[in-house]
């Protein structure tokens, strides 16, 4: 599976759709199956300027801790609020692809997950079909070499092989190449 990550907060939904379609088309022309390409749009985390010899990274805004989860009501959620794909006997391909993207985001944020933790992170713990579907998705991600599997049975953990999204505790250092005039002085 090919993953293309575009970090920018300046795109509208229409622009993301056009750009995503162009990226998938370009990769398809290079021989990749369009169903195996994921284009992820994320907000940018810092400004980096590259032009010739100058590299400048500005310190990011201090990361705010995530808000604590809202307490869940004891009453069951009305059927109108529950997404339709959770109650259907079978999920469509686009619904499964969205679920796979959400699973990849959860793995990138946490670094590793068990099947139970993935069910909680994706809010699927009340879905009877979730364990089998997540096993299939984990297998697809493992075959695509995006995750590795460790442990057995209930101790199985799935570890994200790429960069894990952890908040930066130290500011990014500002790098600037000195002008040639000041080097000679």
């Amino acid at each position: 599976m090919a993953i293309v990550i575009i970090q920018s907060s300046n795109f509208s939904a229409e622009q993301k759709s056009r750009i995503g379609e162009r990226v998938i088309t370009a990769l398809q022309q290079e021989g990749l199956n369009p169903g195996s390409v994921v284009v992820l749009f994320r907000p940018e985390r810092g400004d980096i300027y590259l032009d010739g010899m100058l590299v400048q990274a500005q310190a990011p805004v201090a990361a705010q801790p995530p808000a604590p989860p809202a307490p869940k009501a004891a009453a069951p959620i009305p059927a109108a609020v529950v997404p339709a794909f959770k109650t259907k006997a079978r999920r469509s391909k686009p619904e499964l692809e969205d679920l796979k993207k959400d699973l990849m985001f959860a793995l990138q944020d946490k670094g590793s997950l068990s099947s139970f933790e993935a069910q909680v992170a994706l809010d699927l713990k009340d879905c009877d079909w979730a364990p089998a579907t997540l096993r299939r998705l984990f297998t697809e991600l493992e075959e695509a070499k995006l995750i590795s599997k460790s442990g057995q049975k209930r101790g199985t953990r799935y570890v994200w092989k790429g960069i894990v999204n952890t908040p930066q505790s130290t500011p990014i250092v500002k790098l600037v190449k000195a002008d040639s005039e000041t080097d000679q002085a």
Side-chain angles (χ1 to χ4, degrees), residues 33 35 88 90-100:
N33 182 359
K88 292 189 326 189
R90 297 180 65 87
R91 265 104 352 250
S92 67
K93 234 179 184 176
E95 290 169 340
L96 288 173
E97 285 299 319
D98 289 343
L99 193 59
K100 186 190 281 188

Side-chain angles (χ1 to χ4, degrees), residues 22-32:
R22 289 179 184 156
V23 168
I24 290 172
T25 301
L27 291 174
Q28 184 180 8
Q29 290 173 349
E30 295 298 321
L32 288 173

Side-chain angles (χ1 to χ4, degrees), residues 4 8-10 12 24-25 28 30 35 38 44 53 91-92 108 110 132 141-142 150 152 169 176:
V4 178
S8 175
S9 57
N10 301 332
S12 68
I24 290 172
T25 301
Q28 184 180 8
E30 295 298 321
V38 176
E44 56 187 325
M53 303 304 271
R91 265 104 352 250
S92 67
Q108 289 171 345
K110 304 282 186 189
L141 293 173
E142 188 178 14
S150 64
Q152 298 176 5
S169 59
V176 179

Side-chain angles (χ1 to χ4, degrees), residues 38-166:
V38 176
V39 180
L40 303 174
F41 289 90
R42 293 188 179 159
E44 56 187 325
R45 298 200 172 144
D47 296 326
I48 297 175
Y49 172 71
L50 298 172
D51 185 21
M53 303 304 271
L54 175 67
V55 175
Q56 182 176 356
Q58 297 176 356
V61 177
Q64 298 177 358
K72 295 194 176 189
I77 299 172
V81 178
V82 177
F85 80 93
K86 289 186 178 183
T87 57
K88 292 189 326 189
R90 297 180 65 87
R91 265 104 352 250
S92 67
K93 234 179 184 176
E95 290 169 340
L96 288 173
E97 285 299 319
D98 289 343
L99 193 59
K100 186 190 281 188
K101 286 180 202 174
D102 292 343
L103 180 60
M104 289 183 344
F105 283 132
L107 280 163
Q108 289 171 345
D109 286 339
K110 304 282 186 189
S112 71
L113 291 172
S114 67
S115 180
F116 178 75
E117 291 170 340
Q119 289 177 46
V120 171
L122 300 175
D123 197 27
L124 300 175
K125 58 186 175 181
D126 296 328
C127 301
D128 294 336
W129 52 265
T133 301
L134 286 174
R135 276 194 301 273
R136 279 196 313 275
L137 295 177
F138 280 129
T139 301
E140 288 176 16
L141 293 173
E142 188 178 14
E143 288 172 354
K145 306 280 190 228
L146 296 174
I147 63 171
S148 62
K149 179 178 166 182
S150 64
Q152 298 176 5
K153 299 185 181 184
R154 290 180 182 238
T156 303
R157 292 201 64 80
Y158 303 91
V159 181
W160 183 254
K161 285 186 173 182
I163 297 172
V164 176
N165 297 334
T166 55

